[in-house]
Amino acid sequence: GKKRCRAPPNSKKIKKYAPKNCTLCSGMGCTLYPGLRCTLYSEILNLEQFKRLRKKKEVVRSNNKEVWCYIRVSSQEQKDNYSLENQKAEAKRFAESKGYSLVNFFEEVESAKQDTTRKEFSRLFDDLRKTKRKPYAIIVFKMNRFSRSGGSSIALAVNLINNYGVHLIETESGIDTTTDKGKNEVFRRLIMANEENLTRLDHTIPGMKALLNEGKSLGVSPFGYDHFGPRVNKFAKKEVEQRIVLNQTGKVLRQAWVWKVEGEQDSVIIKRLKTLGVDISKQKISAMWRNMFYCGLISNSLLDDIVKGQHEPMVDRGTFLKVQKIVEMNKQGYKIDRDADDRPLQGTLICPICNQRMTGYLVRKKGRHYYKCGKCLGVSINADTSDRMKKNIGAHNLFVEVLNTYQLDEKYLDLFKLQLKRILSSTDMVKKNEEAIYTKQLTELKNKKDKLEERFAFGEIEQSLYDKFLCQIDGQIEELDAKYDFSGIDTSNLKINLNKAVEFTQNVSKYWVSGNLDHKKKIQKLMFPEGIRIDTQKRQYLTSKVNALFSVKRSFTRNTKDSKKEKPTEIGGLSSLVAGAGLEPTSASWRI
C-alpha cells in the first residue's frame, strides 16, 4: 500500500509479520519498504480472526413433501355441479406436478363468511394441533375457498405459518406463503375475497328483504314443517313458488304447546312426544318455545319489524305468549334438576333474603341432600331430618307439616263445601261476564278485519297499508286472548267437582309423600304457584301466596282455632279467590 508499515526497516518483526502472499501489495510486500507489511493488510488479517466466531444463519431445508387439501362450496347446487370434484382433481394434478404427497382431504358444503361454524374447517385446525408430523402446506383451489372473513382469515394464515410452520398454497395461481412477497399476495387475495362477499350482499340483501316482507321464509324451515320452493335440495320438493306446510310431526307438536301451558316440564313433554312417534331433543324443544315462526310470524335481522308469515301457524299467538311467560320465569332462576328425585322442592323454595329460588346439592361423603341459596351465604337447609340430629328437621318434613295444616276437621266439611260452592258459583258468574265482554270485543275486531280485507280485495287500499293494519288487528286479538283465560275449573257438574276438591285437599300431604317427582312438583305448583319462602335459621315456612282452594280451608282452620265452642260461620266475601286455572291440579290423577 501507499501507507508506511508501522514496523521499522530491518526490524526483527519484519519476518514475523511479513505475509507470504499479500493480495494488496501484489505479493511483494510494501512498495516503499520491501519486505514490510502495510497497516491496512494488518487490519484485514485481524478481522479474519473474528469471522470464525460469527454465528452463521443456517438454512434448514425441509424434506417434508406431504400436503393437505381443503376444498369447499357454498351451496348444494354448486356441489351438484361437480365443483367439489373439480377442485379435488385440480389439487391432485397440482400436487403431482410439484412432487407433493397429498395425504389428507377436508371438504364441505358451507359458506365461508364465518370460520368457526365450518365443521371441516375447524377439524382441519384441530388435526394440525394434534398431529406431530405437520404437513408442508395446505393447498386450496382459490383463496376465497379458504375463507371470506377478511381480517380473521389473515390471522388464521399467520397462525398457520408462525405457530405450525405450515404454508398456504393456491393451486390456481401457484402463489404461496414461502416468501414475503408471496405472503403479501395471499393476504391481499383473502381481503379481496371478503370484499367480493360484501359486494354480493349489496345486490342480494334488497331481494332478501322483499322476500321477507312478503311473509316468506329464508333458509331451512323449522322442525315440524315441510319446505317447498325453487331453492330446496330435494328434487321432489322443488316448486316455482315457496310453500311451507305443517307436516304430520308438526300436528303432533301442537299438543306439546298445550302440555307446556299446563305446566309440564320439558323432560316429561319429550317422553310423551316419543310415545306419539316424535323424537325431539331438549335443545330443539327449548328453541321451539322461543321461535315465533310457530305462531305464524317471521322475525329476521334484515327486517325492521315483525311480519306475518304466509305459512300455517302451529299454535295460536295467545298460547305462544303464555309459553313465553313460563320461559321467562325459568330464566329468572326456576330450574329444576330433572334427576333430583331426592330434592323435589328444588325450584319451589325461595330465599327469605333475596327472594331468589333456591337450588340443591348432594354431599357425597354423607350421602345427604341440601337446599341452598346460590346468592346469599349461610342460607341452606338439609332436605331430610337426620337420625342423629332430630332437632334439625329437614325441609321435606317441614313441608309435610305445612300441608297437614290444610286438613279440616270432618265435622266442618259440609260447611266448607257450602262455602266452596258459593265461590265456584261466583267464579262461574264472573267467568260468564268476562266471556261476554271477550266475545263482544272479539266480534268487533273480526268485523274490522273483514272490512279491511274487503277494501283490499276491491283495491281501495294498497298492500303496505293492508299489511300494516292487519298486523295491528291481529295484535289486538292476540292481546285479547292473552288477557282472558277461560281454562278454569268446569262447573257443569258442581257436586262431583266439590267432592273431588274436598277429598284432594284433605289428603294433599299423603298425595305429596306417595307421589313421584313429577306429581310432587305439580302439587307444589298448584298450592304455591309463586313458590314458598323458608327461614332456614328458624326452620319454618313463611307466608306465601296460596291457591284459593287451600286459602279457604286455612280460613276455616283459623276460625275454629279462635273459638272452639262456637260453630264457625260462613266466610263473607270472596277476596281470597284466585281466578283462572289455579283451582285445578294439572294431573288427571287428582283432577277435581
Side-chain angles (χ1 to χ4, degrees):
K2 294 181 179 181
K3 293 184 179 180
R4 183 176 178 178
C5 297
R6 294 178 181 177
N10 303 323
S11 173
K12 295 180 180 180
K13 297 181 179 180
I14 292 176
K15 294 181 179 181
K16 184 176 180 181
Y17 292 102
K20 293 181 179 178
N21 186 12
C22 179
T23 57
L24 298 176
C25 303
S26 301
M28 301 301 293
C30 183
T31 55
L32 297 177
Y33 296 92
L36 295 183
R37 189 172 162 197
C38 67
T39 55
L40 180 61
Y41 183 81
S42 299
E43 290 177 2
I44 293 174
L45 184 63
N46 290 336
L47 290 177
E48 288 291 333
Q49 298 176 7
F50 287 96
K51 286 183 179 179
R52 62 185 180 83
L53 302 176
R54 185 179 63 178
K55 293 183 178 179
K56 296 182 179 180
K57 183 178 180 181
E58 297 182 0
V59 179
V60 180
R61 297 188 178 276
S62 175
N63 294 324
N64 184 12
K65 293 294 183 179
E66 292 183 353
V67 293
W68 293 358
C69 178
Y70 176 77
I71 58 179
R72 179 193 65 81
V73 292
S74 301
S75 64
Q76 188 66 34
E77 292 179 354
Q78 292 180 353
K79 182 180 179 182
D80 296 338
N81 292 333
Y82 302 100
S83 180
L84 282 178
E85 285 76 6
N86 294 335
Q87 291 182 45
K88 187 180 292 186
E90 175 64 19
K92 291 179 179 179
R93 185 201 61 77
F94 178 84
E96 185 178 353
S97 65
K98 297 294 183 180
Y100 295 140
S101 176
L102 189 54
V103 297
N104 208 348
F105 269 101
F106 299 86
E107 60 179 88
E108 64 186 337
V109 180
E110 188 68 39
S111 171
K113 183 180 179 182
Q114 298 293 333
D115 297 324
T116 56
T117 57
R118 288 184 278 162
K119 294 181 180 179
E120 285 297 300
F121 192 74
S122 300
R123 188 171 72 85
L124 185 148
F125 280 88
D126 289 340
D127 289 354
L128 280 176
R129 283 192 292 268
K130 295 175 183 177
T131 185
K132 292 183 179 179
R133 181 177 174 82
K134 311 292 185 187
Y136 171 70
I138 305 295
I139 62 175
V140 294
F141 178 65
K142 293 180 69 174
M143 283 303 154
N144 59 17
R145 300 296 90 193
F146 180 75
S147 178
R148 289 183 180 272
S149 59
S152 299
S153 60
I154 295 178
L156 289 172
V158 172
N159 184 38
L160 278 175
I161 302 167
N162 296 342
N163 296 339
Y164 299 118
V166 179
H167 290 288
L168 197 59
I169 303 175
E170 184 182 81
T171 62
E172 185 187 50
S173 62
I175 64 169
D176 56 46
T177 57
T178 56
T179 63
D180 290 338
K181 186 177 180 180
K183 288 179 186 177
N184 289 336
E185 181 61 21
V186 168
F187 297 160
R188 187 183 71 83
R189 295 196 178 204
L190 289 173
I191 291 295
M192 286 178 60
N194 180 252
E195 291 178 355
E196 290 173 2
N197 215 37
L198 295 176
T199 303
R200 187 181 294 111
L201 287 176
D202 290 339
H203 294 287
T204 57
I205 284 180
M208 295 165 66
K209 286 183 176 180
L211 189 73
L212 290 169
N213 282 318
E214 291 177 3
K216 297 180 180 179
S217 176
L218 294 176
V220 181
S221 295
F223 187 62
Y225 285 91
D226 286 332
H227 192 128
F228 300 86
R231 298 181 64 84
V232 296
N233 298 330
K234 294 183 178 180
F235 180 78
K237 293 184 177 180
K238 283 188 175 294
E239 295 183 2
V240 178
E241 292 291 334
Q242 184 185 100
R243 185 168 58 92
I244 301 175
V245 181
L246 190 69
N247 55 30
Q248 189 60 38
T249 299
K251 294 177 181 178
V252 175
L253 284 174
R254 279 176 167 167
Q255 186 60 38
W257 294 87
V258 178
W259 292 333
K260 187 66 175 178
V261 171
E262 290 179 351
E264 291 285 10
Q265 296 294 320
D266 286 359
S267 58
V268 178
I269 295 175
I270 291 172
K271 291 178 181 178
R272 296 177 72 172
L273 286 174
K274 197 168 186 178
T275 60
L276 297 176
V278 176
D279 193 4
I280 185 171
S281 64
K282 60 180 181 180
Q283 294 84 3
K284 188 176 288 187
I285 198 170
S286 178
M288 185 180 77
W289 303 137
R290 297 166 172 81
N291 191 350
M292 65 178 65
F293 187 93
Y294 288 101
C295 69
L297 301 176
I298 293 178
S299 176
N300 193 285
S301 58
L302 296 176
L303 294 174
D304 298 328
D305 205 349
I306 297 172
V307 176
K308 181 182 178 182
Q310 293 185 2
H311 60 279
E312 178 186 359
M314 180 184 292
V315 62
D316 62 272
R317 298 180 187 179
T319 303
F320 182 83
L321 290 176
K322 292 177 184 177
V323 171
Q324 298 316 297
K325 291 181 180 179
I326 296 173
V327 172
E328 288 296 326
M329 183 178 67
N330 292 341
K331 285 183 180 180
Q332 297 171 2
Y334 183 47
K335 184 179 180 181
I336 295 177
D337 184 0
R338 300 183 182 95
D339 299 325
D341 293 334
D342 297 308
R343 299 192 301 273
L345 293 176
Q346 184 171 312
T348 298
L349 300 184
I350 296 177
C351 174
I353 300 175
C354 65
N355 291 324
Q356 296 294 320
R357 296 184 184 268
M358 298 172 66
T359 183
Y361 63 97
L362 169 65
V363 178
R364 298 188 181 277
K365 293 182 178 179
K366 298 180 180 179
R368 297 179 61 185
H369 294 266
Y370 293 83
Y371 296 100
K372 70 171 183 179
C373 177
K375 185 177 180 180
C376 303
L377 295 175
V379 180
S380 64
I381 187 172
N382 48 304
D384 297 299
T385 304
S386 173
D387 295 334
R388 294 182 179 181
M389 301 180 67
K390 294 185 177 181
K391 292 183 179 180
N392 294 336
I393 303 176
H396 297 166
N397 297 85
L398 291 173
F399 189 72
V400 172
E401 291 180 3
V402 171
L403 297 182
N404 287 331
T405 60
Y406 292 96
Q407 189 172 5
L408 193 62
D409 195 322
E410 292 186 2
K411 62 182 179 181
Y412 302 124
L413 289 181
D414 292 336
L415 190 58
F416 170 65
K417 289 181 182 180
L418 179 60
Q419 180 65 23
L420 189 59
K421 183 178 179 181
R422 290 180 58 197
I423 292 177
L424 294 177
S425 299
S426 178
T427 303
D428 191 44
M429 187 181 300
V430 171
K431 179 181 176 181
K432 289 180 179 179
N433 292 334
E434 289 182 348
E435 284 181 346
I437 296 173
Y438 168 79
T439 303
K440 181 180 178 181
Q441 294 180 356
L442 183 63
T443 302
E444 293 176 355
L445 290 173
K446 286 184 176 180
N447 290 336
K448 287 183 179 180
K449 188 174 182 179
D450 292 339
K451 290 180 181 178
L452 181 67
E453 292 176 348
E454 183 179 345
R455 292 185 65 190
F456 176 70
F458 286 105
E460 296 180 6
I461 57 175
E462 298 179 354
Q463 177 76 43
S464 58
L465 291 176
Y466 170 74
D467 292 338
K468 178 181 178 181
F469 291 113
L470 183 64
C471 286
Q472 289 182 3
I473 296 173
D474 286 339
Q476 293 174 1
I477 294 175
E478 183 181 308
E479 292 176 0
L480 192 65
D481 291 335
K483 180 179 179 181
Y484 292 100
D485 183 9
F486 303 116
S487 57
I489 114 177
D490 182 14
T491 58
S492 59
N493 200 334
L494 192 57
K495 185 176 181 180
I496 297 177
N497 287 331
L498 287 176
N499 292 334
K500 287 184 178 181
V502 172
E503 190 275 333
F504 172 71
T505 58
Q506 285 292 97
N507 300 281
V508 64
S509 62
K510 295 179 181 179
Y511 281 121
W512 188 85
V513 172
S514 61
N516 57 26
L517 177 63
D518 185 48
H519 289 171
K520 287 180 179 179
K521 290 189 293 184
K522 287 178 178 178
I523 292 176
Q524 292 159 199
K525 187 174 181 180
L526 170 69
M527 295 189 63
F528 308 101
E530 298 179 0
I532 182 169
R533 298 168 69 240
I534 183 171
D535 187 337
T536 58
Q537 299 296 328
K538 296 182 180 180
R539 294 186 175 270
Q540 63 181 18
Y541 285 96
L542 305 176
T543 304
S544 299
K545 184 177 180 180
V546 186
N547 181 287
L549 184 63
F550 296 91
S551 179
V552 173
K553 290 198 72 176
R554 176 59 65 85
S555 300
F556 270 88
T557 306
R558 285 198 302 265
N559 287 352
T560 53
K561 287 183 178 179
D562 293 340
S563 178
K564 294 183 179 180
K565 295 182 180 179
E566 297 180 6
K567 183 178 179 179
T569 57
E570 297 180 11
I571 304 172
L574 301 170
S575 59
S576 61
L577 179 62
V578 178
L583 293 174
E584 185 174 354
T586 55
S587 173
S589 301
W590 43 66
R591 191 175 299 275
I592 60 175

